[in-house]
Amino acid sequence: MKEIIKISDLKNHLFDGMSIMVGGFMAIGTPELLIDEIVRLNVKDITIICNDAGLADLGVGKLIANGQVKKLIASHIGLNPEAGRLMSEGLMECVLVPQGTLAEQIRAGGAGLGGFLTPTGLGTIVEKGKKIIAVNKKDFILELPLRADLALLYGTTVDKYGNTNFTKTTRNFNPVMATATDLVIVQARKMVDRIDPDNVMTPHIFVDYIVKEEE
Amino acid sequence: MKEIIKISDLKNHLFDGMSIMVGGFMAIGTPELLIDEIVRLNVKDITIICNDAGLADLGVGKLIANGQVKKLIASHIGLNPEAGRLMSEGLMECVLVPQGTLAEQIRAGGAGLGGFLTPTGLGTIVEKGKKIIAVNKKDFILELPLRADLALLYGTTVDKYGNTNFTKTTRNFNPVMATATDLVIVQARKMVDRIDPDNVMTPHIFVDYIVKEEE
Amino acid sequence: MDKMQIKNFIAKRVARELHDGDLVNLGIGLPTLVGNFLPSDIHINLQSENGLIGLGPAPTEETYDADITNAGGQPVTLLDGGMYFDSTLSFSIIRGGHVDVTVLGCLQVDQTGSLASWIIPGKMVPGMGGAMDLVTGAKKVIIATTHTNRGKPKILKQCFLPLTAKNQVNMIITEMGVMEVRDDGLHLLEYNPEYTIMEIVESTDATLVINNPKVMKLEV
Amino acid sequence: MDKMQIKNFIAKRVARELHDGDLVNLGIGLPTLVGNFLPSDIHINLQSENGLIGLGPAPTEETYDADITNAGGQPVTLLDGGMYFDSTLSFSIIRGGHVDVTVLGCLQVDQTGSLASWIIPGKMVPGMGGAMDLVTGAKKVIIATTHTNRGKPKILKQCFLPLTAKNQVNMIITEMGVMEVRDDGLHLLEYNPEYTIMEIVESTDATLVINNPKVMKLEV
């Protein structure tokens, strides 16, 4: 049985300057309740790792709008003009990463790999400052793993053991982020007795705490 | 609708000297019908990539016993004494790879990666002849991707679109091998109308042909 | 042709490059229109990089499901046989060469197949999203674009805006013609007879290899 | 103690190193016995690297399912809450540091924490399977072994058989004692009072750091 905590318990796991991976793609599959609580607690100088910057009033966009984000690592911020403004004014550091590289960096962080070679970004500014390694006379960029202190996931179905599934396109970065942080907290849309063992997307061993949406 | 072929059509996709990835772990999740047909057709000088050497009379062990395997890339051959004999007598080249490295090499082959850095095998004979790369003062072995001409999978449930699932521990190397070869043929234990889109393990785009077990 | 007719004309020509069973990723904007012009006997599989294959049309009020969106975050539907997956598999599919064709727009594209599509210096940088992986990984990269931007050439000898990918574009399709990037240069394979060859050459800042181009025959 | 008593004694002591909620991978042979000695208030999750967490006991005739096997290919069962996965996730779990404890046997282990367990020169080489990943990736590596092999020391200054992993072992548990690999050497933390310290030292080819070791108290 996995421990179910109250949203107010979230504060015990937060600290200024921490790094947080947040599941979701344009805020689809993002745990909004957990984000709201971090806004309320006003934790400062956060590094956010997320596919994108959310929208102005959705997803990690709420943390950005509230001035809590010191650094954003994402593949896209185009739907959040406030993120663009803070970035161009130098008020938020923003590292833009190709989406596939971002997913793979997080995977490497969770899978104990020291890095991987990708052709994506060769000959572009993405390769700047990175090691180029040739394999069979073909060049690749060496990209390094990413990890964070905390992952906030949005599980659409969570069983009492903590096994977690993400329906339809809410899945996106959620399962891979579950593997790459010291602590994993899942916002559960729906709790069930048991997920079919063949179809578990995130095994319970990755999940530390569950916050139920109904409460 | 994915094309269903007869077992006798398998010959159209085989040639001497080809490389074949075979799903399964100690022959659990191995497509025995497809193996049997390759034994019958007596295709020669095959390179087999598989977790293990199967058993003497099960899985890829049947190809080895029939003298068709020129080279075996596997993590374990201990349950097949014939493989050990052929290896030690120099009649079959055998490349032993740590199991996690083997899985990751196949994944890299399917995912367009030029390689990856793993700590597994450092300071052992596994690192011999490989590039060692330090990341943040920690050493890693650069391991390269693996691909093959053909993958033979054992799908326990296949839908009419070719979406394929592998129940329980039959899954093992099957889904990753589906991504890393020019051609993928699935032996289907059971055909169904449709697999739940949330729970598809191998999307139909990876599958070229299906051989139904019942026939 | 008005602006919409031009877009449809280009999309219609791009559609002819797609084959039955192809896995295709269409960028936002003009490329999205390509799906409207497929012959009824050709069935393609559309991927959306946020995690699905089998992208269907926008939902009706009845089929709307907030959990099904495309890479722009817009609601979509899933066709029969389609399925969902996570971002790592999505980009294994993309980077691993499993996407047969990707169709994207551009700011600039050049005769060596390099593409600039994500940064206009001095403007807000939206980020590359999945575009760099798509252009690098897809078997065939088609740029679907108006030939010029308000009269200014978009097809150049060498892109001067920051690149999305180097030497990865295979084909450029505009309202003026169809061009293919080959080792020996940018070949004009087809031209739209509404324009003279001279007009096309003058609208292009790249060196075009012109060797008996065919006529682009499409109803508008 | 007879051979089986010795094995059970070692397994029982290893069990004390496991904590509630731990993810544990047990090698074949002696390590498998560890599961029999867990206190009833401690629930651990057993992983099998062929693709499951929640490894249960061998099946009865009624619960037998040919599709559920362990890494040795033997039929097993799945406990409530357990789940299946593929080999890439299995080794992401292993190599990524998500396994809290792995327990393995050895041919040789040395005072620097290096382990030799997969090749006896001149004998058939079975392959390393998942052992190299497990020893490299697990948070804590415990070697559970008889102290000697027919009187010949297995705990050495330096392994001379081909290594499974270098400097990865954390603890060695034998019928004679409990040893921990630390930066300053191999510490004897506990000893079995059935043996004298001198006997233990003489059965060990490594330099043991001995500083008030505790008594290993376990019923056989």
Side-chain angles (χ1 to χ4, degrees):
Chain A
M1 306 308 105
K2 197 62 59 162
E3 195 180 345
I4 296 174
I5 61 172
K6 295 202 191 83
I7 184 75
S8 58
D9 295 329
L10 192 58
K11 63 176 180 300
N12 303 325
H13 306 289
L14 303 176
F15 52 91
D16 290 349
M18 77 187 304
S19 55
I20 309 180
M21 290 189 184
V22 180
F25 194 113
M26 303 295 176
I28 310 296
T30 295
E32 299 290 348
L33 280 185
L34 304 182
I35 300 279
D36 289 343
E37 183 66 4
I38 300 180
V39 169
R40 203 182 69 75
L41 294 166
N42 204 18
V43 183
K44 292 291 188 189
D45 297 329
I46 306 172
T47 293
I48 291 288
I49 300 170
C50 185
N51 173 65
D52 51 74
L55 283 75
D57 56 351
L58 262 188
V60 300
K62 295 185 284 195
L63 298 168
I64 294 168
N66 196 37
Q68 298 174 257
V69 181
K70 187 183 172 188
K71 180 174 176 179
L72 174 67
I73 303 176
S75 78
H76 202 272
I77 63 167
L79 294 189
N80 186 342
E82 179 66 2
R85 187 186 68 79
L86 291 171
M87 178 191 171
S88 53
E89 291 181 11
L91 297 170
M92 180 176 74
E93 186 187 350
C94 191
V95 181
L96 290 169
V97 183
Q99 205 167 108
T101 298
L102 183 63
E104 205 64 20
Q105 283 185 289
I106 297 167
R107 183 178 181 278
L113 300 176
F116 58 93
L117 303 185
T118 179
T120 302
L122 272 178
T124 77
I125 59 172
V126 166
E127 73 174 33
K128 224 174 99 178
K130 292 172 186 165
K131 196 177 261 185
I132 308 293
I133 293 179
V135 173
N136 298 328
K137 298 186 182 170
K138 207 170 163 305
D139 278 347
F140 294 93
I141 303 177
L142 172 61
E143 295 280 5
L144 304 185
L146 269 177
R147 288 190 59 89
D149 298 314
L150 173 65
L152 302 178
L153 312 183
Y154 183 58
T156 52
T157 314
V158 181
D159 75 16
K160 62 183 179 190
Y161 304 98
N163 293 312
T164 300
N165 278 4
F166 316 91
T167 194
K168 296 160 186 165
T169 53
T170 67
R171 192 170 346 172
N172 53 70
F173 281 77
N174 277 294
V176 73
M177 285 176 170
T179 70
T181 62
D182 297 343
L183 197 78
V184 174
I185 302 179
V186 176
Q187 174 180 331
R189 179 191 284 178
K190 190 179 156 199
M191 297 288 302
V192 297
D193 195 50
R194 176 172 174 272
I195 295 175
D196 175 352
D198 269 341
N199 296 329
V200 170
M201 295 174 191
T202 289
H204 63 72
I205 58 135
F206 290 115
V207 174
D208 295 293
Y209 299 108
I210 300 165
V211 175
K212 278 170 33 180
E213 205 163 278
E214 299 88 4
E215 301 190 7
Chain B
M1 305 310 103
K2 196 62 61 164
E3 195 181 345
I4 297 175
I5 60 172
K6 294 201 190 82
I7 185 75
S8 58
D9 295 329
L10 192 59
K11 64 175 177 305
N12 304 325
H13 307 288
L14 303 175
F15 53 92
D16 289 349
M18 77 186 304
S19 55
I20 308 179
M21 291 189 183
V22 181
F25 194 113
M26 304 296 177
I28 310 297
T30 295
E32 299 290 348
L33 280 186
L34 304 183
I35 301 279
D36 288 342
E37 182 67 4
I38 300 179
V39 169
R40 203 182 68 76
L41 294 167
N42 204 19
V43 184
K44 292 289 187 191
D45 297 330
I46 306 172
T47 293
I48 290 289
I49 301 170
C50 185
N51 174 64
D52 52 74
L55 282 75
D57 56 352
L58 262 187
V60 300
K62 294 185 285 196
L63 298 168
I64 294 168
N66 196 37
Q68 298 175 258
V69 181
K70 187 184 172 187
K71 181 175 176 179
L72 174 68
I73 303 176
S75 77
H76 201 271
I77 62 166
L79 293 189
N80 185 342
E82 179 65 2
R85 187 185 67 79
L86 291 169
M87 178 189 170
S88 54
E89 291 181 11
L91 297 170
M92 180 175 75
E93 186 186 351
C94 191
V95 181
L96 289 169
V97 183
Q99 203 167 107
T101 298
L102 183 63
E104 204 65 22
Q105 284 185 289
I106 297 168
R107 182 178 182 277
L113 300 175
F116 58 92
L117 304 185
T118 179
T120 301
L122 272 178
T124 76
I125 60 170
V126 166
E127 73 174 33
K128 224 173 99 179
K130 293 173 186 164
K131 196 177 259 185
I132 307 294
I133 294 180
V135 173
N136 297 328
K137 298 186 182 168
K138 206 170 165 306
D139 279 346
F140 294 92
I141 302 177
L142 172 61
E143 295 279 6
L144 304 185
L146 269 178
R147 288 190 59 87
D149 297 314
L150 172 66
L152 301 179
L153 311 183
Y154 183 58
T156 52
T157 314
V158 181
D159 76 15
K160 61 183 180 190
Y161 305 98
N163 293 312
T164 300
N165 278 3
F166 316 91
T167 194
K168 297 161 186 163
T169 52
T170 67
R171 191 170 348 172
N172 54 69
F173 281 76
N174 277 294
V176 74
M177 286 176 171
T179 70
T181 62
D182 297 342
L183 197 78
V184 174
I185 302 178
V186 176
Q187 174 181 332
R189 178 191 285 179
K190 189 179 156 201
M191 296 288 301
V192 298
D193 196 51
R194 176 173 174 272
I195 295 175
D196 176 352
D198 268 342
N199 296 329
V200 170
M201 294 174 190
T202 288
H204 62 74
I205 58 135
F206 289 115
V207 174
D208 295 293
Y209 299 108
I210 300 165
V211 175
K212 277 167 40 177
E213 205 163 279
E214 298 88 6
E215 303 191 6
Chain C
M1 294 193 285
D2 67 19
K3 220 166 174 178
M4 200 58 218
Q5 282 177 316
I6 287 176
K7 284 187 182 177
N8 281 329
F9 177 84
I10 297 169
K12 194 177 280 186
R13 180 59 190 81
V14 172
R16 290 206 187 160
E17 296 297 318
L18 307 182
H19 303 97
D20 196 46
D22 275 357
L23 180 63
V24 177
N25 187 299
L26 301 175
I28 46 172
L30 198 167
T32 310
L33 301 174
V34 172
N36 302 337
F37 297 104
L38 284 172
S40 60
D41 59 334
I42 287 188
H43 173 75
I44 63 167
N45 300 294
L46 286 177
Q47 192 219 22
S48 187
E49 65 265 31
N50 58 318
L52 66 85
I53 285 173
L55 186 66
T60 61
E61 210 167 296
E62 284 74 38
T63 59
Y64 173 76
D65 181 336
D67 291 336
I68 314 180
T69 57
N70 64 15
Q74 298 305 308
V76 292
T77 51
L78 189 79
L79 299 177
D80 285 348
M83 85 302 300
Y84 304 100
F85 36 80
D86 83 315
S87 296
T88 62
L89 183 59
S90 188
F91 282 88
S92 289
I93 290 170
I94 288 171
R95 206 181 32 232
H98 306 287
V99 172
D100 295 292
V101 183
T102 187
V103 184
L104 297 101
C106 76
L107 296 167
Q108 301 177 336
V109 59
D110 72 27
Q111 64 194 40
T112 70
S114 291
L115 170 70
S117 63
W118 75 289
I119 297 182
I120 312 181
K123 291 216 177 173
M124 211 82 102
V125 177
M128 65 293 278
M132 285 193 179
D133 297 283
L134 274 163
V135 180
T136 305
K139 282 192 200 124
K140 182 168 184 171
V141 178
I142 300 177
I143 301 304
T145 178
T146 54
H147 204 93
T148 61
N149 179 17
R150 300 173 198 183
K152 261 180 80 178
K154 299 179 84 171
I155 305 169
L156 312 178
K157 284 194 175 58
Q158 192 174 4
C159 296
F160 55 81
L161 291 177
L163 294 185
T164 305
K166 200 176 166 185
N167 309 138
Q168 296 293 338
V169 174
N170 301 100
M171 191 170 258
I172 305 166
I173 299 181
T174 75
E175 76 281 16
M176 290 189 166
V178 177
M179 285 139 282
E180 193 172 59
V181 181
R182 297 185 187 167
D183 286 344
D184 64 343
L186 186 63
H187 288 246
L188 182 70
L189 300 185
E190 298 175 21
Y191 71 101
N192 180 349
E194 288 192 35
Y195 305 90
T196 65
I197 295 288
M198 188 49 73
E199 280 175 314
I200 297 172
V201 167
E202 280 174 353
S203 303
T204 310
D205 243 3
T207 306
L208 283 176
V209 181
I210 302 174
N211 186 3
N212 272 324
K214 289 185 196 155
V215 168
M216 225 172 151
K217 267 194 202 139
L218 298 165
E219 329 77 77
V220 179
Chain D
M1 294 192 285
D2 67 20
K3 220 166 174 179
M4 200 57 219
Q5 282 177 316
I6 287 177
K7 284 186 180 178
N8 281 327
F9 177 84
I10 296 170
K12 194 178 279 186
R13 180 59 191 83
V14 172
R16 288 204 187 165
E17 296 297 318
L18 307 183
H19 304 97
D20 196 46
D22 274 357
L23 180 62
V24 177
N25 188 299
L26 301 176
I28 47 172
L30 197 168
T32 309
L33 300 174
V34 172
N36 302 337
F37 298 104
L38 284 171
S40 59
D41 59 334
I42 287 188
H43 172 76
I44 62 166
N45 300 294
L46 286 177
Q47 193 220 19
S48 187
E49 65 265 30
N50 57 319
L52 66 84
I53 286 172
L55 186 66
T60 61
E61 211 167 298
E62 284 73 39
T63 61
Y64 172 76
D65 181 336
D67 291 336
I68 314 179
T69 57
N70 65 15
Q74 298 305 308
V76 292
T77 52
L78 189 80
L79 299 177
D80 286 347
M83 85 302 300
Y84 305 100
F85 37 80
D86 83 316
S87 297
T88 63
L89 184 59
S90 188
F91 282 87
S92 288
I93 290 170
I94 288 170
R95 205 181 34 231
H98 307 286
V99 172
D100 296 294
V101 183
T102 188
V103 184
L104 298 100
C106 75
L107 296 168
Q108 300 178 337
V109 58
D110 71 27
Q111 64 193 41
T112 71
S114 292
L115 170 69
S117 63
W118 75 289
I119 297 183
I120 311 180
K123 292 220 179 172
M124 211 84 100
V125 178
M128 67 292 278
M132 285 193 180
D133 297 284
L134 274 162
V135 179
T136 304
K139 283 193 200 123
K140 182 168 184 170
V141 177
I142 300 176
I143 301 303
T145 178
T146 54
H147 204 94
T148 60
N149 179 18
R150 300 172 198 183
K152 259 180 78 177
K154 298 179 83 170
I155 305 169
L156 311 178
K157 283 193 175 59
Q158 193 174 4
C159 296
F160 56 80
L161 290 177
L163 294 185
T164 304
K166 200 175 166 185
N167 309 138
Q168 296 293 338
V169 173
N170 302 100
M171 192 171 257
I172 305 165
I173 298 181
T174 75
E175 76 281 17
M176 290 189 166
V178 177
M179 285 141 282
E180 192 172 60
V181 180
R182 296 184 187 168
D183 286 344
D184 65 341
L186 185 64
H187 288 248
L188 182 70
L189 300 184
E190 299 176 20
Y191 71 100
N192 181 347
E194 288 190 36
Y195 304 90
T196 65
I197 295 287
M198 189 49 73
E199 279 175 314
I200 297 172
V201 167
E202 280 174 353
S203 302
T204 310
D205 242 3
T207 306
L208 284 175
V209 181
I210 302 174
N211 185 2
N212 270 323
K214 289 184 196 155
V215 169
M216 227 174 151
K217 269 193 199 138
L218 298 165
E219 329 77 76
V220 180

